[in-house]
Amino acid sequence: MRFHTPKTFEQAAAIAAGASGLTRFLAGGTDVLVQLRAAIVTPDDLIDLKHIPGVKDIARTTEGGWRIGIAVSGAELGRHAGVCADWPGVVEGMQLVGSTQVQGRATLVGNLCNGSPAADSVPGMMAAGAMVSVIGPQGNRAVAVEDIPAGPSRTTLLPGEVITAIILPPRGAHGGDAYLRFIPRTEMDIAVVGVAVNLRRDGARIIEARIALGAVAPKILLVPAAAQAIIGTALDAVALAALSAAAIAASTPISDKRGTATFRKDIVGVLVQRAARIAYTRAEGASA
Amino acid sequence: MPKDDLKTAYRLVGTRPNRPDGLDKVTGRARYGADISAPGMLHAAVVRSPHAHARIIRIDASKALALDGVKAVITRADFPTGLTGEDWNLQENTLAGDVALYDGHAVAAVAATSKLLAQDAARLVEVEYEVLPHVIDVDAAMQPDAPVIRAGTADHSVPEGMHPNVVKYIEFGHGDLEAGFAEADLVRAQSYKTEATHQGYIEPHACLGQMGADGKGEMWVCTQGQWYIRRMCSAVLGTEASQLRVTPSEIGGGFGGKTTIFMEPLALALSRKAGGRPVKLVMSRAEVLRATGPTASASMDVKMGMKVDGTITAASVNFRMQGGAFIGSSPVGEALSCALACYTVPAVFHQGYEVLANRPKAAAYRAPGSPMAAFAVESLLDEMCHELGLDPLAVRLKNAAREGAKASYGPTYNRIGLVETLEATMAHANLKVPLGPNQGRGAAAGFWFNHGGETSVSLAIGEDGTVTVSVGTPDVGGSRASLGMMTAETLGIAYESVRVNIVETGALGVNEPTHGSRATFASGLAAVEAAKQAIAQMCARAAAEWGIDAEAVEWLDGAAVPAGPNAGKFPPMSIAEIGAKMGSTGGPISGHHEVTAGGVGASFGAHVVDVEVDPETGRTTVLRYLVVQDAGRAIHPAYVEGQYQGGAVQGIGWALNEEYVYGADGRLQNAVFLDYRIPVASDLPMIDTVIVEVPNPGHPYGVRGVGETGITPPLPALANAIAAATGVRLRSLPMSPPKVLAAIKANARG
Amino acid sequence: MSKIHVSTTVNGDAVEFLADPRDTLLDCLRDQLGLTGTKEGCGTGDCGACSVQLDGVLVCSCLVLGAEAEGKTVATVEGLSNGPDLHPLQRKFIEHAALQCGFCTPGILVAANALLTQNPDPTEVEVRYWLAGNLCRCTGYDKIIRAVMDAGAEMRGTH
Amino acid sequence: MVEINLWSGLRRFAGDQTVISVSGSTVREILDALVKAHPALLQVIKAGVSVSLNGQIVTNMSTAVDPLDEIYLIQRIKGG
């Protein structure tokens, strides 16, 4: 295994593009090292991205959103008042990844690129409409977060491509988001089900919504039908029931060591209502 | 109030001094199994079967041996043949012979100059398998069509006509069962299941072994019992026990799982093959979960008869347990013996079967067998109390076993403290806390025998009157403190003047491990006797110097003094004075005590838990938890509380989320702490404790073992609390959210 | 495979070692530097026994490559006391009997120290969640939580 | 004579009895007498049993027994 510490994303992409064997990028390393230790994935080239200037930065975009560096840890994200105020659902998703120790290292991009259908930070990003900036042999491109996962442990990124930042859109007025997951313990588990809801209100009425579900399909799903179930409503009982039904209908979970398919469907129907209520309340409080 | 005639006013016993090994353990200096290295050391890695059951056709290590730095590869061919009984089981479990019997079963081992190289080399060892049909579930393993794991394993006890996987049958009881059930106003029968769980000690098994061609060897190892390691390794390797010197490291938890061997002979065999270079072998967490000794899984039937006043008239139990692919590894006998031990029941009948399955060889786990039995019996008892409208704790008290009563397993009880324990439980403030919606309270009682066992302790007076105590029971949770306190109490000296050392196998006679809750009990009893021997010698030295009879000298507050006015008038001769001149008064002064300790006192406990269950997700939150248990006498109450709290939380884990999850392929699915879910700090409230003291007349300070009983009541207490909170009764562990939610939904459908 | 030369600072001392690219910081601390106070319980970041601070950030050293420590500062349990003077957490752990086997103790002390540094007056719930990644199998956590709370109180000077 | 109480699963090795009267003054002697009377019990004793004497497990085979003592053979117990 070769260990690289490029100083620019261009160098990183070039190393990756030129590599003949297995390549992994190292940001937080909390997944890469586990796989390395267990000999599940032993890369030929490991490319540490943390020496690239700016990867730890969080900055306002000109549009009023946030540009989050690829090495920003969960703990650092959680300490950033601006992002926490705008996108609490994104932050709470990220902060549920692992322990305090893991929070010191784990990153949004790493969680996304690990390709887990149960990744806690990804539903929140999808629901928020986050984009990633990608650099690669074919140049730069911007990709929606929902277009990155390709299935368990797989992404749509091309060989030699590397994500350079996550872009959260402007929060805008009267919006709120929330992420909830179900685990058997209070901490330290992988989500059995994860649900993110992002919505915007006009008075009591929901006028926009994006809903993403984790761990109920081979990849994390954006579910427009669930969003449609609450758009135009005041999140009354009928809307919540429709929301629950839409989320359950969109779910095609498996039974595994973490839960049965039946249980996951039950839980997604419960959590999506709870998350929607939180997002709805947050949107009421959000003025700007 | 004192419950017996034993002295109750002590200077040290019952206080809470700092433990002597505390400084080493908070500074990182304490050395555990993997913390030591030796010059010329090699590192080992183990090749393990990925199949639950497979014939080993061929092992080709040529690619591994071709790597630069690989020094030895061993297979079963490197071990002696002809072993029988448990020795054969141990050898077979250390390294598979013709057939790999479970996922993770070791088939070969490699020694190399670095850890990474050894791991790389292990991956290059090619093993060709013929996969055989496997069976995991205990009930399935008894079915006529179940694959036969090893024909001819069954012992004399198994009746004709049973499946060859049934290897032991046990039956006992007393009284007229049918008459007892006929006399009852309510008779209920139910079936229960528990999944295998792991002790979950945080320190993986680790050892550093060295052995030459002459069969002389040394081993540094994390273990509960260095003599067990010595005997078992020697048996497996065909060497002589006394030629192997085993030094116990500090131990990072054991709970019964480190009372036996798993990979230790591999380090010695690799060393022998590599020309005597020391070999370090450290398990990964996945290896610990796949290939050490989890507990048995159980399938159990219970039938009980009760009168409307709560009197239990009769009870019968039928348990099936698998403890892996080896006979004698399940605790079915213990489970049966504990099942009804809390109660005096005129008619009882117990039946049990041990069954082989393609799982790792079960080891002891804290009160082996008792938690499963308690889950079944205490659940049914609770259910029947509610059906009859009775207070479950009052019913337990009404039927409680007490001194002079016939135990469910046969003999008559001596002084025991279940009644006092239940009374203290019923009086506790936790029981008066009002509960809210979706909340429920559950109680249960539990029992463990405790154990004495082979014990050898040596004590020596130092030149300055300080004292060294050498014991053979590794300190898993503060026993250096309790042993030092009892020694100092007996000698009348300061606690700080005693140093307790856990010593290697060459330094004492044979000791059983720290198991069966015996370290403070048995090593303590022996340390007190050794101290008394030393006191007798010191009195004799003083008598000689004073020119009076030794009988005319007594020991008081750390000094020899004349016994009464007729003995003569001499100032007290302190232990320091005696020690300072012992070279010129007859030589070194020491005391020894060697015994297979009897006088064991059983420990009973009762737990009460309050839970809240989320009716939409099935998740259980523990709100409040109370442990009440008879300690006999708490030498160091803080470490007694620690045993109660730790046992309770292991039981909570077992009850709610811990389980071995196997795939259809027979492979363990959750061999990582991420998915083998032991309780984390945020899952729990404080664990309230009450130490009941009904002194054990069989111990000089009244000690009963306290380590094990605490894991038995949580399983049924949680089930009873969940039933109270939800109205649904879970009869299968763990009571994980999917199971609880499914039960709630099924109940709602009616 | 060629090794990587790493210069770093551990508990205030400048140190150098050669790391295989696959070696974790935990491996390097224990095997190269002889700092065996940091323990390995799982190797997957699930138990916290290997907790250290890396440039002041609490991490699992099993999830950090040795090579990543280049130019950084590492603080382990061995650096917690000031010479013979124990850190209040260390003293409170002994006084409260907050350890039984002691294997998880170094990681918990390091993690608790990181907590009290950033939050000198944590609630019980905050302590429990902060330490959720530090598994202890002996104590049931009760005495650990009390010891951390008590150490915090002493460090705040409230008793 | 001393009465030894067997567990009922041993009945078929002991002439359909669970209480056997034997003579002897130590644990060793009464176990020897038991096996002499019912040779099929040898395999059981060899496989390992615990002897309860007046409610206490005894391991010293030379322990004295008295006709009034309560003696039970019970399952061997191991701890964790």
Side-chain angles (χ1 to χ4, degrees):
Chain A
M1 190 177 91
R2 288 170 294 273
F3 183 68
H4 307 274
T5 54
K7 302 293 184 291
T8 66
F9 279 110
E10 288 74 9
Q11 281 175 13
I15 295 165
S20 53
L22 199 55
T23 301
R24 279 289 184 278
F25 293 107
L26 185 65
T30 50
D31 287 312
V32 171
L33 262 78
V34 171
Q35 293 162 4
L36 176 68
R37 286 286 287 234
I40 296 165
V41 179
T42 307
D44 299 290
D45 290 278
L46 185 60
I47 304 167
D48 185 354
L49 301 174
K50 290 192 294 298
H51 294 260
I52 299 170
V55 293
K56 283 274 186 192
D57 296 347
I58 301 174
R60 273 280 185 208
T61 61
T62 48
E63 294 80 18
W66 294 100
R67 185 180 191 284
I68 300 168
I70 55 95
V72 170
S73 70
E76 287 161 342
L77 191 68
R79 283 196 296 268
H80 194 279
V83 179
C84 289
D86 282 0
W87 295 104
V90 173
V91 175
E92 65 201 3
M94 184 62 217
Q95 294 217 290
L96 286 171
V97 177
S99 61
T100 317
Q101 286 83 342
V102 168
Q103 281 294 304
R105 300 272 292 170
T107 64
L108 286 168
V109 173
N111 201 225
L112 176 61
C113 292
N114 190 43
S116 166
D120 276 312
S121 75
V122 178
M125 289 194 284
M126 278 188 191
M131 305 287 288
V132 294
S133 303
V134 176
I135 187 170
Q138 275 83 49
N140 299 336
R141 62 187 182 118
V143 186
V145 166
E146 56 265 33
D147 294 330
I148 295 292
S153 304
R154 291 186 297 120
T155 70
T156 57
L157 293 172
L158 303 170
E161 283 195 322
V162 51
I163 293 176
T164 60
I166 287 186
I167 312 296
L168 287 172
R171 171 66 277 185
H174 310 300
D177 73 334
Y179 175 76
L180 289 178
R181 70 166 178 188
F182 183 83
I183 55 171
R185 293 181 289 188
T186 51
E187 278 284 350
M188 300 308 291
D189 289 327
I190 299 290
V192 179
V193 171
V195 174
V197 175
N198 173 33
L199 54 80
R200 191 181 311 285
R201 290 170 57 166
D202 179 3
R205 206 167 59 90
I206 296 168
I207 53 169
E208 288 171 25
R210 283 169 69 91
I211 293 175
L213 309 179
V216 292
K219 55 183 190 174
I220 292 168
L221 300 174
L222 195 63
V223 184
Q228 284 306 319
I230 57 169
I231 291 174
T233 77
L235 208 63
D236 52 24
V238 174
L240 284 168
L243 170 66
S244 178
I248 292 169
S251 299
T252 56
I254 55 166
S255 291
D256 67 3
K257 61 195 170 191
R258 292 171 188 147
T260 61
T262 308
F263 181 69
R264 286 189 157 106
K265 284 195 159 222
D266 288 340
I267 296 300
V268 81
V270 171
L271 288 198
V272 76
Q273 298 178 60
R274 293 181 182 179
R277 281 197 289 258
I278 297 169
Y280 187 79
T281 304
R282 285 177 178 167
E284 182 176 36
S287 51
Chain B
M1 292 292 286
K3 299 280 190 322
D4 69 339
D5 299 332
L6 290 180
K7 182 182 168 191
T8 52
Y10 294 113
R11 186 170 50 91
L12 294 169
V13 165
T15 65
R16 300 175 181 236
N18 290 344
R19 64 190 285 169
D21 51 338
L23 183 61
D24 285 349
K25 287 179 177 167
V26 299
T27 53
R29 282 203 302 270
R31 290 183 308 174
Y32 293 81
D35 292 345
I36 206 164
S37 298
M41 183 175 83
L42 301 174
H43 297 264
V46 179
V47 182
R48 296 185 182 278
S49 169
H51 305 296
H53 198 195
R55 189 171 308 286
I56 298 167
I57 306 295
R58 185 181 61 89
I59 300 175
D60 181 356
S62 55
K63 285 181 185 157
L65 285 163
L67 280 185
D68 206 15
V70 173
K71 300 299 180 185
V73 176
I74 54 168
T75 65
R76 185 68 173 276
D78 293 282
F79 288 76
T81 56
L83 275 61
T84 57
E86 181 62 8
D87 288 346
W88 185 88
N89 287 341
L90 290 168
Q91 187 183 54
E92 180 72 12
N93 192 41
T94 302
L95 213 50
D98 298 332
V99 178
L101 294 166
Y102 57 91
D103 168 42
H105 197 171
V107 296
V110 180
T113 51
S114 82
K115 197 156 61 178
L116 288 170
L117 184 60
Q119 288 163 2
D120 290 344
R123 281 191 281 276
L124 291 174
V125 174
E126 293 172 0
V127 185
E128 188 185 326
Y129 296 97
E130 175 199 344
V131 177
L132 302 171
H134 67 271
V135 62
I136 297 293
D137 179 73
V138 60
D139 291 325
M142 295 175 77
Q143 294 303 309
D145 60 344
V148 175
I149 293 175
R150 196 147 47 86
T153 304
D155 76 6
H156 56 83
S157 63
V158 180
E160 299 276 323
M162 303 232 46
H163 190 283
N165 290 343
V166 178
V167 295
K168 269 184 192 291
Y169 172 71
I170 300 166
E171 176 198 307
F172 63 95
H174 58 253
D176 186 338
L177 201 66
E178 290 318 309
F181 285 130
E183 197 190 340
D185 297 307
L186 179 69
V187 177
R188 287 286 177 260
Q190 289 293 353
S191 299
Y192 301 86
K193 282 194 101 157
T194 65
E195 210 2 286
T197 56
H198 196 274
Q199 298 84 355
Y201 34 80
I202 311 299
E203 182 195 25
H205 295 257
C207 68
L208 174 61
Q210 184 275 326
M211 182 169 272
D214 57 2
K216 289 188 171 62
E218 306 249 353
M219 174 160 280
W220 164 270
V221 56
C222 67
T223 179
Q224 291 173 248
Q226 52 273 42
W227 282 270
Y228 269 31
I229 294 282
R230 184 177 81 162
R231 174 169 62 74
M232 293 175 183
C233 284
S234 301
V236 166
L237 295 165
T239 56
E240 292 178 339
S242 293
Q243 297 301 330
L244 179 62
R245 181 169 165 237
V246 181
T247 305
S249 70
E250 291 300 329
I251 175 171
F255 315 108
K258 290 177 181 167
T259 55
T260 184
I261 56 166
F262 295 104
M263 74 337 172
E264 292 79 3
L266 300 177
L268 294 170
L270 284 166
S271 173
R272 197 163 56 176
K273 200 161 184 179
R277 288 176 71 170
V279 173
K280 185 168 180 171
L281 179 46
V282 181
M283 276 193 175
S284 69
R285 177 54 51 183
E287 288 180 294
V288 170
L289 288 166
R290 287 170 75 202
T292 62
T295 188
S297 62
S299 174
M300 303 172 285
D301 305 326
V302 185
K303 184 177 177 185
M304 195 179 286
M306 192 181 280
K307 290 193 192 175
V308 287
D309 69 353
T311 305
I312 304 171
T313 57
S316 66
V317 300
N318 182 320
F319 294 172
R320 286 82 54 193
M321 288 188 166
Q322 69 72 31
F326 301 89
I327 186 172
S329 297
S330 88
V332 66
E334 288 88 340
L336 294 171
S337 301
C338 293
L340 299 163
C342 288
Y343 306 109
T344 301
V345 182
V348 294
F349 185 60
H350 309 73
Q351 284 178 291
Y353 302 85
E354 177 171 86
V355 185
L356 301 187
N358 291 112
R359 302 213 200 193
K361 186 177 189 298
Y365 179 21
R366 209 165 196 157
S370 191
M372 302 85 145
F375 173 59
V377 171
E378 295 284 306
S379 290
L380 183 60
L381 178 64
D382 186 80
E383 209 170 333
M384 292 174 70
C385 289
H386 287 292
E387 197 169 342
L388 291 173
L390 301 169
D391 173 0
L393 276 169
V395 168
R396 287 184 174 88
L397 182 59
K398 184 181 186 73
N399 295 282
R402 54 192 87 204
E403 186 175 6
K406 185 176 175 60
S408 60
Y409 53 90
T412 304
Y413 279 118
N414 294 330
R415 189 74 181 97
I416 52 172
L418 177 57
V419 167
E420 290 82 350
T421 298
L422 287 167
E423 286 170 349
T425 306
M426 293 167 80
H428 196 276
N430 280 17
L431 277 76
K432 297 173 186 70
V433 179
L435 297 175
N438 302 315
Q439 297 183 353
R441 178 167 294 150
F447 162 85
W448 183 246
F449 292 91
N450 294 326
H451 180 62
E454 289 172 83
T455 309
S456 171
V457 164
S458 180
L459 173 152
I461 307 297
E463 311 85 313
D464 55 356
T466 59
V467 174
T468 304
V469 183
S470 299
V471 302
T473 43
D475 184 349
V476 296
S479 61
R480 283 185 184 88
S482 62
L483 297 173
M485 290 167 73
M486 285 184 280
T487 304
E489 184 84 52
T490 304
L491 286 165
I493 61 176
Y495 165 71
E496 293 74 16
S497 297
V498 178
R499 173 157 182 153
V500 179
N501 292 323
I502 318 294
V503 300
E504 46 102 349
T505 50
L508 286 176
V510 172
N511 275 274
E512 281 182 41
T514 297
H515 68 170
S517 301
R518 74 178 213 94
T520 294
F521 171 77
S523 284
L525 179 149
V528 168
E529 291 303 318
K532 287 179 179 168
Q533 272 188 26
I535 287 170
Q537 289 186 56
M538 291 190 287
C539 287
R541 301 286 171 99
E545 189 157 333
W546 291 331
I548 62 175
D549 285 348
E551 292 72 45
V553 178
E554 62 180 15
W555 192 257
L556 189 68
D557 296 335
V561 296
N566 296 336
K569 267 185 84 75
F570 303 98
M573 190 181 293
S574 73
I575 189 169
E577 286 174 72
I578 296 169
K581 52 192 172 192
M582 63 189 169
S584 59
T585 62
I589 298 172
S590 63
H592 303 272
H593 194 68
E594 277 81 30
V595 66
T596 299
V600 176
S603 183
F604 290 84
H607 294 196
V608 181
V609 58
D610 293 351
V611 301
E612 180 167 329
V613 180
D614 182 338
E616 291 184 319
T617 66
R619 195 169 90 179
T620 300
T621 302
V622 178
L623 303 172
R624 215 167 281 109
Y625 203 99
L626 170 66
V627 182
V628 183
Q629 189 182 324
D630 177 17
R633 177 98 62 215
I635 301 301
H636 192 307
Y639 289 103
V640 172
E641 292 161 1
Q643 290 297 316
Y644 291 4
Q645 292 165 335
V649 169
Q650 282 187 319
I652 290 170
W654 196 340
L656 294 182
N657 283 310
E658 291 179 38
E659 63 178 317
Y660 266 46
V661 181
Y662 283 93
D665 57 4
R667 291 178 186 168
L668 184 61
Q669 301 281 301
N670 58 336
V672 53
F673 270 144
L674 185 65
D675 290 311
Y676 184 83
R677 303 187 184 101
I678 78 171
V680 302
S682 49
D683 292 342
L684 297 160
M686 293 298 185
I687 308 295
D688 302 322
T689 57
V690 174
I691 300 174
V692 173
E693 294 190 311
V694 178
N696 169 20
H699 186 276
Y701 289 106
V703 168
R704 299 175 192 271
V706 296
E708 289 168 284
T709 301
I711 199 173
T712 62
L715 285 60
L718 265 295
N720 297 343
I722 290 170
T726 63
V728 299
R729 174 62 62 172
L730 277 287
R731 298 192 184 93
S732 163
L733 295 185
M735 296 175 285
S736 54
K739 278 196 207 162
V740 174
L741 186 61
I744 291 172
K745 284 171 63 186
N747 189 48
R749 282 195 300 269
Chain C
M1 279 175 219
S2 62
K3 296 207 172 188
I4 301 166
H5 179 267
V6 179
S7 301
T8 182
T9 303
V10 179
N11 299 330
D13 298 331
V15 297
E16 297 175 56
F17 55 84
L18 290 175
D20 184 288
R22 289 187 286 167
D23 279 338
T24 63
L25 176 59
L26 175 62
D27 296 327
C28 296
L29 288 169
R30 291 178 54 84
D31 300 338
Q32 308 275 342
L33 302 176
L35 292 169
T36 55
T38 305
K39 306 300 183 194
E40 176 165 339
C42 70
T44 51
D46 297 313
C47 81
C50 67
S51 296
V52 302
Q53 284 186 285
L54 183 67
D55 276 352
V57 178
L58 180 67
V59 298
C60 285
S61 59
C62 75
L63 296 185
V64 178
L65 287 175
E68 291 182 84
E70 171 68 34
K72 296 190 180 298
T73 62
V74 182
T76 73
V77 68
E78 285 94 344
L80 206 51
S81 57
N82 180 17
D85 297 328
L86 293 182
H87 187 281
L89 277 164
Q90 293 173 307
R91 266 193 294 104
K92 292 299 177 187
F93 265 60
I94 297 174
E95 287 171 21
H96 283 265
L99 55 141
Q100 287 180 30
C101 82
F103 191 80
C104 71
T105 307
I108 292 185
L109 289 169
V110 168
N113 183 42
L115 169 64
L116 295 179
T117 303
Q118 75 158 51
N119 180 2
D121 191 8
T123 64
E124 180 192 328
V125 169
E126 285 171 338
V127 176
R128 287 185 179 277
Y129 274 86
W130 182 273
L131 293 179
N134 289 86
L135 300 182
C136 168
R137 191 63 157 172
C138 294
T139 65
Y141 303 102
D142 182 300
K143 293 178 189 302
I144 290 172
I145 305 301
R146 292 179 198 277
V148 173
M149 306 277 292
D150 195 21
E154 180 183 299
M155 290 163 73
R156 294 192 306 276
T158 54
H159 75 206
Chain D
M1 297 292 269
V2 180
E3 285 188 350
I4 302 181
N5 294 273
L6 307 182
W7 67 81
S8 61
L10 301 184
R11 191 191 305 247
R12 63 196 169 93
F13 304 118
D16 206 32
Q17 304 168 75
T18 53
V19 182
I20 314 279
S21 290
V22 297
S23 56
S25 57
T26 65
V27 174
R28 182 184 295 107
E29 285 174 16
I30 61 168
L31 290 182
D32 287 349
L34 182 67
V35 169
K36 200 167 176 188
H38 301 285
L41 285 171
L42 179 63
Q43 56 192 339
V44 179
I45 309 274
K46 281 178 76 175
V49 299
S50 292
V51 179
S52 168
L53 174 65
N54 298 327
Q56 285 289 339
I57 307 289
V58 293
T59 48
N60 186 339
M61 292 294 108
S62 299
T63 304
V65 294
D66 177 280
L68 292 175
D69 285 340
E70 176 200 84
I71 295 163
Y72 274 84
L73 298 191
I74 62 174
Q75 305 297 316
R76 176 179 280 182
I77 305 297
K78 292 178 291 188

